[in-house]
């Protein structure tokens, strides 16, 4: 049975807290605070917090719910592109 990595959102939230990202905040300020922090996205793979933030829309996040909804939307879009969904 193949194991699925389901902890990326947890590690994303930890990286956001470590970066000192508080709301409301602009996307540009989030990216500036991200520095070189890495987010564990699979059992043996990390990506920069900055690269995750750059894929997110809109340009301002009024609260944490707004931010995490944008994060999940960006992740869903990336998976759709990666696995060829919606074609």
């Amino acid at each position: 049975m193949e194991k699925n990595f389901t902890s990326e959102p947890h590690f994303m939230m930890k990286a956001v807290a470590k970066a000192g990202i508080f709301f409301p905040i602009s996307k540009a300020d989030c990216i500036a605070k991200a520095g070189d922090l890495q987010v564990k996205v699979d059992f043996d793979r990390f990506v920069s917090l900055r690269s995750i933030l750059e894929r997110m829309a809109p340009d301002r996040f009024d609260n944490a719910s707004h931010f995490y909804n944008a994060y999940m939307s960006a992740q869903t879009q990336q998976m759709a592109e990666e696995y060829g969904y919606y074609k």
Side-chain angles (χ1 to χ4, degrees):
M1 179 168 99
E2 181 180 336
K3 291 185 178 182
N4 293 317
F5 187 81
T6 59
S7 299
E8 179 179 344
H10 169 76
F11 289 116
M12 172 67 176
M13 287 187 271
K14 288 182 75 168
V16 167
K18 190 171 186 176
I21 295 173
F22 298 99
F23 307 97
I25 193 168
S26 70
K27 180 178 172 178
D29 287 341
C30 286
I31 291 169
K33 288 178 172 267
D36 61 354
L37 287 171
Q38 299 289 304
V39 177
K40 188 173 184 175
V41 296
D42 207 339
F43 294 106
D44 60 351
R45 191 169 73 108
F46 292 79
V47 300
S48 70
L49 176 58
R50 177 182 303 271
S51 70
I52 294 170
L53 295 169
E54 288 171 344
R55 290 193 318 263
M56 291 170 53
D59 291 326
R60 180 169 178 76
F61 307 104
D62 293 326
N63 55 51
S65 293
H66 190 202
F67 179 85
Y68 288 109
N69 282 332
Y71 163 66
M72 293 306 294
S73 178
Q75 292 302 92
T76 301
Q77 180 64 37
Q78 180 186 4
M79 288 180 69
E81 292 168 6
E82 189 174 326
Y83 296 109
Y85 298 152
Y86 312 120
K87 289 186 179 180

